[in-house]
Amino acid sequence: MRRNSFAWILMAGILIQLFFCMPAIAANLKTTTSTKHRITGVVKDALGRPIKQVALSLQDASGKVVAHATSNDAGEFSFNAIAPGTYAVVATGSGFKPATSIVSVSTKGAAPVTLAMEAEKEVSLRVAAKRLNQARNSLSPDTGGSKYTFTQLAIQELPQGDNTPLNQVLLQAPGVAQDSFGQIHVRGDHANLQYRINGVQLPEGITTFGQILSPRFAQSISLLTGALPAEYGLRTAGVIDIKTKDGLLDPVANVDFYGGQRGTTEPSFEYGGSKGNFSYYMTGQYIGTDRGLEPPTSGPTAIHDTANQGSAFGYFSYFINSTTRLSLITGSAVNHFQIPANPNQPQLFTLAGVPSYPSAKVRENQFEQNYFGVLALQGVVGENIDYQIAPFSRYSAVTFNPDHTGDLIYQGAASRVFRSDWGSGFQIDTAYHGIDNHTFRLGGYFDAERAEIDNHEATFPAVGGVQSSPIPISFVDDIGLQTWIYSGYIQDEWKLTDKLTFNYGVRFDLYDGLVRADQASPRAAFEYKVFKGTTLHAGYSRQMTPPETELVQVGNIKQLAGTTGAPPSKGNGTPTVERDHLFDAGVTQEVIPGLNLGIDSYYKKAVDLIDEGQFGPALIFETFNYAKGRVWGVEFTGSYTHENIYAYENFAYSVAQGTQVESGQFNFDPSELKYISSHYIFLDHDQTFTNSAGVVYKWRKWMFSIDGIYGSGLRSGFANTGNLPFYIQLDAGITRRVPLPNNAGTLEFRGAIVNLNDRTYLVRNGTGVGVFANQFGPRRAIYGGIKWELPFTKPPSAIQ
């Protein structure tokens, strides 16, 4: 009985103790089961890039390892079921120094951890430069359009190498037609080209004969056409995107002496390198020739056609840190051209005191100046944001000096024309990659331009269009024009699947100058990789193109009434903006390894189509509009690469038409105006068929190259109803590299023949809308050069 009583008493005591201890036990159980937490984080390198396959360990306050983890492809990691306390996260990876971060785990959890691992070897500036170049490229997409790229090697493989003028390089691309005075036309547009250097759009300058930009400083040159993303606007027939050489990535030092027939001399140099965080690249060239412009005579030697051209370019950059770079881009071109004389022309007017003045003695000249500068701050923020902010400025001027006596006798007017244009502004581009499968881009562009147009003209009094006095009279007309351009865009590049990319966006442009106009322009395009080697693209873009600043005001026409310099018509509507709908679609196919084929088609419907022409002896173009325009065509491309041989073929069909002249009507004969008012006519620069082809073969240290262009002929005759005969021009080159003994560098010997078949052909025949005189293509000429690549750099070789 006692034993049972004692047992009951003992049991009751235990129950009482359990009752009073239960809260503490429950609290302890809650602490040990429900306060476990996760520690998460990411591992990055010094450039902010994620590092995968990094081994991570978690150590407690005593130094004991309590958990392990490995970073994934995004550099992310986590430790699970970690009790509150203070821990050290230790990261170790091949090629990096160990990194440690202290993390505290409270009852509320732990903040995410970021570990920055330092490379065992210091991160080189070359790696940083390549990273920033990739970031800069990501700011400029090309989804939906066509892109044709000339690499530095491809330029060197041309018969004349990097002595080839930029316009002649671009003639090897599909859809590019040749014109006189160094002009080219892309997909049926007159000019309407945008030039970009390292992604920054240069402000417009006055149209000139000389080539302002040289392939010599290009690391690559790309021609973008078609339905381009919202980032590209204003000038959209073609975007010529030049990536410059960089002294850090392209160290170079050479001198080149090139020249040949037609009195051609072309010395040049390149020098680029780096020191610490600073890199530099500089180049300069001079061109002297006795055949500067396409002459009105067919012979190989023209009369009064000497040209002297000098240009320089510099690229300088400084790394503020491994993710931020400040760059200065600057260039200049100063050119003097003699205007070729046309012998044996009849004297049309009488000048007092000058009974005879042969047309072969007419001496006209043109002087051109171009200067530009861009200051670009470019970098990356974290791993998701790329940006570039670039203020810019450009000044260009053209002075046409007439032969006062000769122009009065043969043209009835002698005009001294000066035009200058100063444009300054800034461009901002940003890209955000923080959302999976999306790249958002946002940016803006501003440009303020001031144009000065001074015209000093001498002409004769006339009655009914017939000269009434041999004594000239003079007029002065000075005009100033201020224009403002404001642009902004937003777009998203959406990777719907691994094969399908959709780019959509909108840009807004406001032009305030000759007129005030604005437009919101939607853009949409997709790119679909059907299967390996086959890519489809299609797109639509709304576009707005402002007129050039080169124009003639109403005052010019009124004061010339009753003179031999009076224009044929009286109308002078103000040039206005062009508005377009553009559709583009194409496909590229790698048929077999090394063989790539492509086809691309386009259609443009335009309102107030812009065109330009030369309507007088001064070789300066004037802007006018057609009320409506239509442009369409198709392009075929092909290239083949196999071991030491490379070949390409590009063929294009194009139609460009306009109707109803609505500005600059005074430049047209009344009968042409009447015809155009009721007919679509071909534009003067329309060329139905164009073709470019080339072959490069490398054998040991030799390189042989040949390329050619074909054109069906530009338009001619009344209202452009005719066209010139077709032409074919072949160029050929041979190159040999010779290493010098005692590490004295390398010599490159180059020989080239332009117009190998010596075909005599007309680029223009003096007829058609906005065409003033004959212009013949080049005759056969032989050139040669020696380039000395100095020993303290290692420039890329054109011959492997």
Side-chain angles (χ1 to χ4, degrees):
M1 187 69 180
R2 285 184 176 181
R3 290 181 179 178
N4 291 339
S5 299
F6 180 77
W8 282 106
I9 293 171
L10 179 62
M11 184 176 293
I14 293 173
L15 290 174
I16 293 172
Q17 290 184 29
L18 287 174
F19 176 78
F20 286 105
C21 293
M22 187 62 70
I25 295 172
N28 185 60
L29 288 173
K30 182 177 180 181
T31 299
T32 57
T33 59
S34 63
T35 57
K36 300 292 184 177
H37 298 280
R38 295 179 70 226
I39 297 176
T40 61
V42 63
V43 186
K44 299 181 179 180
D45 63 14
L47 297 179
R49 298 172 299 189
I51 310 175
K52 62 182 179 179
Q53 298 301 311
V54 172
L56 298 114
S57 60
L58 187 67
Q59 300 178 3
D60 62 16
S62 66
K64 181 181 178 182
V65 176
V66 296
H68 295 275
T70 303
S71 62
N72 61 18
D73 290 347
E76 300 167 341
F77 65 89
S78 66
F79 299 105
N80 300 317
I82 306 301
T86 300
Y87 299 90
V89 180
V90 180
T92 57
S94 177
F96 293 90
K97 298 177 182 179
T100 303
S101 180
I102 304 300
V103 60
S104 295
V105 180
S106 67
T107 56
K108 295 182 179 180
V113 179
T114 299
L115 289 97
M117 299 190 71
E118 181 181 355
E120 292 178 347
K121 296 182 179 179
E122 183 180 356
V123 177
S124 74
L125 288 179
R126 291 178 62 87
V127 174
K130 291 179 179 179
R131 168 73 173 96
L132 288 175
N133 286 349
Q134 291 174 354
R136 184 175 63 205
N137 293 342
S138 77
L139 295 171
S140 303
D142 51 56
T143 304
S146 298
K147 183 176 182 179
Y148 196 91
T149 298
F150 300 89
T151 64
Q152 181 183 352
L153 180 59
I155 294 170
Q156 293 175 343
E157 289 175 342
L158 294 171
Q160 297 191 81
D162 49 19
N163 298 295
T164 310
L166 178 59
N167 65 314
Q168 294 182 27
V169 173
L170 295 172
L171 282 175
Q172 302 303 316
V176 181
Q178 177 182 222
D179 204 344
S180 55
F181 307 143
Q183 295 184 92
I184 58 172
H185 306 293
V186 177
R187 289 192 167 187
D189 268 277
H190 186 103
N192 193 19
L193 299 176
Q194 177 184 146
Y195 291 86
R196 289 187 167 219
I197 298 181
N198 290 346
V200 180
Q201 178 179 343
L202 292 181
E204 293 180 15
I206 296 173
T207 302
T208 55
F209 303 150
Q211 299 295 303
I212 300 167
L213 305 176
S214 169
R216 196 179 308 280
F217 67 75
Q219 197 275 332
S220 69
I221 302 173
S222 296
L223 174 62
L224 282 67
T225 58
L228 298 174
E231 179 174 346
Y232 302 100
L234 305 177
R235 304 291 172 212
T236 52
V239 176
I240 300 167
D241 188 16
I242 302 175
K243 300 295 189 297
T244 66
K245 293 179 182 176
D246 183 333
L248 178 63
L249 300 176
D250 305 287
V252 63
N254 65 58
V255 290
D256 190 357
F257 298 92
Y258 185 78
Q261 289 184 287
R262 316 291 176 255
T264 302
T265 304
E266 188 174 344
S268 63
F269 78 92
E270 291 182 274
Y271 182 60
S274 61
K275 184 176 182 180
N277 287 5
F278 178 70
S279 67
Y280 52 89
Y281 171 83
M282 296 170 284
T283 184
Q285 68 180 24
Y286 163 80
I287 302 175
T289 179
D290 292 336
R291 193 181 174 100
L293 300 175
E294 292 87 351
T297 54
S298 60
T301 303
I303 302 172
H304 192 254
D305 197 10
T306 297
N308 293 282
Q309 307 173 64
S311 62
F313 176 83
Y315 173 79
F316 309 92
S317 69
Y318 180 78
F319 282 89
I320 299 173
N321 54 51
S322 61
T323 60
T324 310
R325 174 172 59 186
L326 183 66
S327 303
L328 173 65
I329 303 169
T330 181
S332 64
V334 179
N335 307 317
H336 179 269
F337 291 91
Q338 294 178 342
I339 309 303
N342 194 2
N344 305 318
Q345 299 301 303
Q347 296 189 186
L348 302 179
F349 301 91
T350 302
L351 177 62
V354 186
S356 177
Y357 196 87
S359 61
K361 291 185 176 181
V362 174
R363 298 291 183 263
E364 299 168 331
N365 298 274
Q366 184 152 304
F367 180 63
E368 307 171 355
Q369 303 174 73
N370 280 276
Y371 311 91
F372 65 87
V374 177
L375 186 65
L377 179 66
Q378 186 246 329
V380 297
V381 179
E383 61 181 85
N384 293 324
I385 299 176
D386 306 322
Y387 69 89
Q388 181 164 265
I389 304 171
F392 55 76
S393 186
R394 174 172 177 170
Y395 175 78
S396 61
V398 173
T399 303
F400 175 80
N401 295 303
D403 183 313
H404 187 81
T405 299
D407 284 2
L408 281 170
I409 290 175
Y410 291 97
Q411 307 296 339
S415 302
R416 181 186 181 276
V417 180
F418 171 78
R419 297 193 177 187
S420 68
D421 185 274
W422 193 317
S424 298
F426 61 87
Q427 177 180 321
I428 300 175
D429 297 289
T430 62
Y432 178 68
H433 311 275
I435 301 177
D436 288 346
N437 302 319
H438 289 269
T439 299
F440 293 96
R441 296 180 175 92
L442 176 70
Y445 177 86
F446 168 76
D447 180 29
E449 292 191 32
R450 175 69 181 178
E452 299 290 340
I453 304 170
D454 302 336
N455 186 24
H456 296 243
E457 184 157 347
T459 186
F460 296 112
V463 177
V466 179
Q467 181 182 0
S468 60
S469 171
I471 301 174
I473 55 177
S474 298
F475 299 92
V476 176
D477 191 27
D478 296 342
I479 302 168
L481 174 66
Q482 181 72 48
T483 63
W484 308 84
I485 295 176
Y486 308 85
S487 300
Y489 69 90
I490 184 170
Q491 64 188 34
D492 173 27
E493 187 171 316
W494 183 8
K495 196 171 183 62
L496 294 165
T497 69
D498 290 340
K499 295 183 177 182
L500 179 62
T501 301
F502 179 51
N503 189 302
Y504 61 98
V506 64
R507 68 176 289 118
F508 177 81
D509 297 296
L510 169 63
Y511 169 79
D512 190 359
L514 297 173
V515 297
R516 183 180 175 89
D518 60 71
Q519 178 174 288
S521 303
R523 309 283 178 87
F526 74 85
E527 184 176 273
Y528 181 53
K529 297 180 179 179
V530 182
F531 43 81
K532 184 177 180 181
T534 303
T535 302
L536 293 170
H537 74 264
Y540 161 79
S541 64
R542 181 81 166 124
Q543 301 171 159
M544 187 186 92
T545 302
E548 299 277 359
T549 54
E550 304 152 63
L551 79 162
V552 176
Q553 295 284 2
V554 175
N556 299 83
I557 300 171
K558 290 182 177 179
Q559 67 182 1
L560 290 174
T563 72
T564 55
S569 300
K570 296 182 179 179
N572 188 26
T574 302
T576 187
V577 301
E578 175 184 327
R579 303 175 191 270
D580 306 324
H581 294 280
L582 177 66
F583 303 87
D584 181 274
V587 59
T588 59
Q589 169 71 57
E590 183 181 24
V591 181
I592 58 174
L595 176 60
N596 292 277
L597 301 176
I599 182 173
D600 197 271
S601 60
Y602 58 91
Y603 175 79
K604 183 176 83 169
K605 181 180 180 181
V607 175
D608 301 322
L609 177 69
I610 290 177
D611 200 357
E612 294 179 356
Q614 179 200 342
F615 296 100
L619 300 184
I620 297 176
F621 296 94
E622 308 291 348
T623 299
F624 65 95
N625 296 86
Y626 293 98
K628 293 184 288 185
R630 57 193 185 191
V631 181
W632 70 89
V634 61
E635 298 167 353
F636 301 89
T637 61
S639 65
Y640 178 69
T641 303
H642 179 69
E643 296 180 350
N644 294 335
I645 190 169
Y646 170 71
Y648 64 91
E649 167 78 16
N650 301 309
F651 177 80
Y653 167 79
S654 175
V655 173
Q657 297 177 322
T659 186
Q660 303 171 20
V661 178
E662 63 173 0
S663 67
Q665 297 94 333
F666 64 91
N667 293 305
F668 293 77
D669 184 271
S671 60
E672 277 191 320
L673 280 177
K674 182 178 179 180
Y675 180 83
I676 298 171
S677 68
S678 59
H679 294 80
Y680 269 98
I681 69 165
F682 290 99
L683 306 186
D684 69 282
H685 54 268
D686 175 79
Q687 186 161 252
T688 306
F689 300 108
T690 58
N691 190 82
S692 62
V695 178
V696 179
Y697 177 70
K698 297 176 182 179
W699 178 68
R700 297 184 179 178
K701 295 297 181 179
W702 294 88
M703 181 178 71
F704 305 89
S705 61
I706 185 170
D707 63 39
I709 56 174
Y710 160 83
S712 59
L714 298 175
R715 295 292 161 175
S716 63
F718 173 82
N720 299 333
T721 51
N723 64 278
L724 297 174
F726 77 91
Y727 62 87
I728 298 174
Q729 179 181 319
L730 300 176
D731 299 341
I734 181 172
T735 305
R736 176 74 161 93
R737 292 174 60 83
V738 179
L740 296 176
N742 302 319
N743 294 320
T746 301
L747 291 180
E748 180 183 274
F749 297 89
R750 181 181 295 272
I753 302 178
V754 172
N755 197 356
L756 180 66
N757 49 334
D758 198 24
R759 182 184 180 92
T760 301
Y761 66 92
L762 277 164
V763 179
R764 295 288 194 177
N765 73 344
T767 66
V769 175
V771 182
F772 187 75
N774 289 348
Q775 289 110 34
F776 281 87
R779 296 295 299 275
R780 179 166 55 212
I782 301 174
Y783 302 97
I786 302 175
K787 179 191 291 186
W788 180 21
E789 297 172 355
L790 299 172
F792 46 88
T793 60
K794 295 181 179 179
S797 172
I799 303 176
Q800 305 300 324

